[in-house]
Amino acid sequence: MLVEIHCEKFRTTPVTFTEGLNAVVGDSVATNSIGKSTFLMVIDFVMGGDTFYKHNKDVIDELGHHEYFFKFEFDGIVHSFMRGTSNSDIIFKCTEDRIVRDSISTKEYREFLSDSYGINHLGLTFRKMVSLFSRIWGKENLDPYRPLTEHKKQKASESLVFALKLFEKYYSIENLTELLKEKDLEKKAFSDAFRENLIPKISKKKYIQNQITTEKISGELDDIKNHLEKYAVNIREIVNSEVEEIKSEKDNLLQSKLLVDIRLKRVEESLRQNRNVRSKKFDVLKKFFPEVLDKKIAEVEEFHSNIAKILKNELKASEKELLVEQSRINEVLAKLDEKMKSILSESSIDNPGVIVDRVYELSSNMRTANLENKYYDQNIELNQTVKNIKNELNELKKNLLAEIENLINTTLRDLSSFIYSSSKKSPYLSFTSSNYNYEIFEDTGTGKAYSNLVLFDWAVFMTSDIPILIHDSLLFKNVENEAVANMMSVYGNFNKQVFIAIDEVQKYGEEAEEVIDQHTVLRLSDNHVLYNKDWRKK
């Protein structure tokens, strides 16, 4: 546990700590900016946190860079350290009389704390465990409706993983989670390969066509294999088969070419026609309606001229596309004609090479079709596997979270009954497989919201291995005096270290005041601020 913090800039130093509750107490008029929250931030700082030198920059600006010496005691052994504001990434090991020795990184230091507090088996870093439950003004973890959210950018899924690890449930889904990550990577690799055309992506229709194609090719290859001698003597049978395929493909292309030619002819005819509206076409109209103004006629003529221009541009674009398509079809037709000519030419000679070429072409087409279908099958199978793993993982996670939910809510009911009486509804935590909700019933005021945040922290603190708890005085503002008095008795009974800041203690009654007095480690007031320099007034 933390036993001491010393700083030459403190007005009172060193500050020593005990097991259980450690209270930083303000004055009876709740004077602000005397150092209560800052001192809690210093505790967070010596616990490996980084918020102090980011949020409390005024301290460094006014005092300059300075050092904090601190001691922990684990199993009867004292460990002394120093951390400064000028190079906070380095922690120095010290002797008990504050002589600096070796240095270690903040990562190594946090690992030391995790090991010393006996929490490294949870799969959570030390800071991940303690930072959320260090509720200090200046941090982003003060939303009473999102008590498992450490900072604004944190996803709900991260909060659920935190809860599962904290309550030692994560190991039950760890293998499935890793398997899902692996399969998601495979799925992404397939998507990337499809997108970059590294492997072919086909539709279900194409898949069925490939099956028909491979079946047909397989039959022809078997036929060639079984009647090789006959084909060697009579090449014409193979040639006729190839010519028939080419002719079928050519017929389809000619049909497409006919449709393109017809559309192209219509477009060219439209472009040749002059559809502009001329003013002379209104002469007859003016004869019968002389009151029609020339200006109006001119406006109509201009409108129709603009429409004609737009239509002309669209027709030109369509003409260009049709010409490109026409050229492509003609090119393919030319290649088919050349191929047919070559086949018919070779067939006039007793040339066994035709058989080899045909077998090669069939095998190549079959290989392509099989490969396309293989990737299709693998992709479908992979997507189904990912879906099945997600469903299994979500169901398992839902059940595990329900166990945590039940444990916390049972504890919340007991705590709420003690603080408020059994007549009031207790706050309620609920999980889904991807999110969570913390409901605060009846009273939605700031005071009740923060007091229910305190109850949540207590429930987790009491049912898990969270090593420390830090609560700032803002959590007690606007809370009923009787409720705060009851809270103090709960704080006073904790065995693990708790650090709180509080002021106006007299208004909470003699019993609460007695508990606070017994556990006060530092008193601050308007005339006795935290540091030996007071920069509140310039």
Side-chain angles (χ1 to χ4, degrees):
M1 69 172 186
L2 180 65
V3 295
E4 180 183 290
I5 297 179
H6 167 79
C7 178
E8 293 295 337
K9 303 293 184 179
F10 282 165
R11 193 175 295 269
T12 298
T13 191
V15 181
T16 58
F17 306 94
T18 63
E19 288 184 351
L21 177 61
N22 295 268
V24 181
V25 181
D27 57 27
S28 59
V29 292
T31 304
N32 292 322
S33 301
I34 57 178
K36 298 188 302 295
S37 298
T38 302
F39 185 73
L40 294 184
M41 202 69 86
V42 170
I43 294 175
D44 185 69
F45 183 65
V46 303
M47 289 286 182
D50 295 328
T51 310
F52 171 68
Y53 66 84
K54 295 177 181 177
H55 178 263
N56 299 84
K57 291 181 179 179
D58 60 316
V59 176
I60 300 172
D61 291 341
E62 296 293 336
L63 301 177
H65 285 296
H66 53 284
E67 294 77 35
Y68 295 91
F69 293 85
F70 42 97
K71 297 177 182 178
F72 288 88
E73 183 178 334
F74 298 108
D75 298 324
I77 301 174
V78 175
H79 304 267
S80 300
F81 301 93
M82 186 274 282
R83 189 182 189 189
T85 59
S86 61
N87 189 3
S88 59
D89 292 334
I90 301 296
I91 309 291
F92 291 91
K93 294 181 179 179
C94 304
T95 63
E96 286 199 47
D97 52 355
R98 305 186 191 104
I99 297 175
V100 174
R101 298 298 189 191
D102 302 329
S103 65
I104 58 175
S105 66
T106 51
K107 183 177 182 294
E108 292 173 311
Y109 173 68
R110 291 163 183 167
E111 289 172 352
F112 160 78
L113 290 178
S114 184
D115 184 59
S116 298
Y117 277 108
I119 55 176
N120 52 7
H121 64 286
L122 298 174
L124 292 167
T125 65
F126 180 78
R127 285 308 305 171
K128 191 68 177 176
M129 285 194 71
V130 303
S131 184
L132 177 63
F133 298 96
S134 298
R135 314 279 188 183
I136 311 169
W137 173 252
K139 300 188 73 174
E140 296 182 355
N141 60 346
L142 296 171
D143 186 347
Y145 299 95
R146 303 295 290 175
L148 284 169
T149 302
E150 183 183 350
H151 53 81
K152 294 177 182 179
K153 294 182 180 180
Q154 182 172 319
K155 298 178 181 178
S157 58
E158 296 175 12
S159 299
L160 301 190
V161 170
F162 172 82
L164 288 166
K165 288 184 176 180
L166 181 60
F167 287 92
E168 301 185 59
K169 305 288 186 183
Y170 187 75
Y171 67 89
S172 299
I173 65 168
E174 191 168 8
N175 290 337
L176 267 181
T177 302
E178 291 303 315
L179 181 59
L180 180 59
K181 288 180 181 178
E182 179 185 326
K183 293 302 178 182
D184 275 335
L185 285 175
E186 289 183 32
K187 186 177 176 181
K188 184 179 184 302
F190 257 89
S191 298
D192 292 343
F194 284 140
R195 186 178 62 253
E196 300 297 332
N197 295 319
L198 298 177
I199 59 176
K201 184 176 184 180
I202 60 173
S203 62
K204 180 65 175 178
K205 181 179 179 181
K206 176 63 173 171
Y207 180 84
I208 296 172
Q209 289 176 349
N210 282 344
Q211 288 181 318
I212 297 172
T213 298
T214 54
E215 186 177 349
K216 181 180 178 182
I217 291 175
S218 180
E220 185 173 348
L221 286 173
D222 286 342
D223 189 49
I224 293 174
K225 177 182 177 182
N226 295 330
H227 303 90
L228 185 60
E229 184 178 348
K230 179 188 73 172
Y231 284 121
V233 175
N234 186 9
I235 304 299
R236 177 65 63 182
E237 289 190 33
I238 290 180
V239 171
N240 286 344
S241 176
E242 285 194 81
V243 170
E244 184 179 349
E245 289 182 6
I246 294 173
K247 187 175 182 304
S248 176
E249 186 177 354
K250 187 175 178 181
D251 287 344
N252 290 334
L253 281 170
L254 287 172
Q255 184 66 28
S256 299
K257 182 176 183 300
L258 178 62
L259 295 174
V260 170
D261 290 343
I262 292 172
R263 290 179 60 196
L264 184 60
K265 184 176 180 181
R266 288 176 180 171
V267 170
E268 290 173 342
E269 180 65 25
S270 296
L271 286 170
R272 281 195 296 272
Q273 292 179 7
N274 186 357
R275 298 184 180 275
N276 289 342
V277 180
R278 303 296 181 187
S279 57
K280 63 181 181 179
K281 294 185 179 292
F282 292 99
D283 289 345
V284 177
L285 181 66
K286 291 179 66 176
K287 180 178 179 181
F288 292 99
F289 300 97
E291 68 276 9
V292 176
L293 299 177
D294 290 338
K295 182 179 179 182
K296 294 295 182 182
I297 294 174
E299 289 177 355
V300 171
E301 179 182 352
E302 182 181 5
F303 170 76
H304 283 283
S305 296
N306 290 334
I307 292 297
K309 288 178 183 178
I310 294 172
L311 291 174
K312 187 174 182 180
N313 290 335
E314 292 181 352
L315 287 170
K316 284 184 176 180
S318 180
E319 179 187 35
K320 184 177 179 181
E321 291 176 2
L322 290 169
L323 287 172
V324 170
E325 180 65 11
Q326 186 185 62
S327 176
R328 186 193 69 80
I329 293 175
N330 288 335
E331 184 179 342
V332 176
L333 285 171
K335 289 181 179 179
L336 290 175
D337 287 338
E338 185 65 29
K339 185 176 181 181
M340 184 179 291
K341 180 180 177 182
S342 174
I343 291 171
L344 293 174
S345 174
E346 292 176 353
S347 67
S348 63
I349 307 172
D350 189 10
N351 181 11
V354 173
I355 300 176
V356 176
D357 290 344
R358 181 58 176 168
V359 170
Y360 175 80
E361 181 181 6
L362 289 172
S363 299
S364 179
N365 291 341
M366 185 180 224
R367 185 165 54 252
T368 299
N370 284 334
L371 193 62
E372 289 177 344
N373 282 14
K374 174 188 174 184
Y375 288 134
Y376 181 90
D377 285 334
Q378 287 179 340
N379 191 44
I380 293 295
E381 182 182 358
L382 184 58
N383 286 334
Q384 187 60 47
T385 298
V386 169
K387 182 179 179 181
N388 292 340
I389 294 174
K390 282 183 177 179
N391 290 338
E392 184 180 355
L393 185 60
N394 286 340
E395 188 63 27
L396 181 56
K397 189 187 296 185
K398 183 179 177 181
N399 293 335
L400 294 172
L401 288 169
E403 294 177 15
I404 299 172
E405 177 185 306
N406 182 61
L407 176 63
I408 292 178
N409 286 330
T410 300
T411 309
L412 281 171
R413 282 194 294 271
D414 294 339
L415 291 170
S416 183
S417 295
F418 178 77
I419 299 300
Y420 295 111
S421 80
S422 57
S423 62
K424 292 190 177 182
K425 291 182 179 180
S426 63
Y428 186 83
L429 177 70
S430 59
F431 289 109
T432 67
S433 61
S434 59
N435 206 344
Y436 76 96
N437 185 42
Y438 189 54
E439 296 181 79
I440 300 172
F441 301 104
E442 296 176 345
D443 188 350
T444 58
T446 304
K448 185 65 184 296
Y450 277 133
S451 65
N452 282 327
L453 181 58
V454 170
L455 293 184
F456 177 86
D457 285 357
W458 286 352
V460 176
F461 194 55
M462 295 165 66
T463 55
S464 73
D465 289 333
I466 294 291
I468 66 166
L469 195 61
I470 303 178
H471 282 166
D472 205 349
S473 57
L474 70 99
L475 299 179
F476 310 119
K477 301 291 185 183
N478 303 314
V479 180
E480 297 173 1
N481 292 346
E482 183 180 354
V484 175
N486 292 336
M487 285 180 177
M488 292 306 111
S489 63
V490 174
Y491 279 120
N493 285 320
F494 283 127
N495 292 322
K496 293 186 287 185
Q497 274 192 315
V498 180
F499 307 90
I500 69 168
I502 193 168
D503 46 28
E504 298 181 286
V505 296
Q506 295 82 4
K507 72 179 183 181
Y508 301 125
E510 291 182 2
E511 290 186 10
E513 187 175 1
E514 183 179 351
V515 171
I516 295 169
D517 285 342
Q518 288 176 354
H519 297 89
T520 296
V521 296
L522 181 64
R523 291 187 183 275
L524 301 175
S525 66
D526 190 40
N527 297 319
H528 190 89
V529 296
L530 176 62
Y531 293 103
N532 54 24
K533 178 182 179 181
D534 186 353
W535 57 89
R536 291 176 297 170
K537 299 177 181 179
K538 295 293 185 181

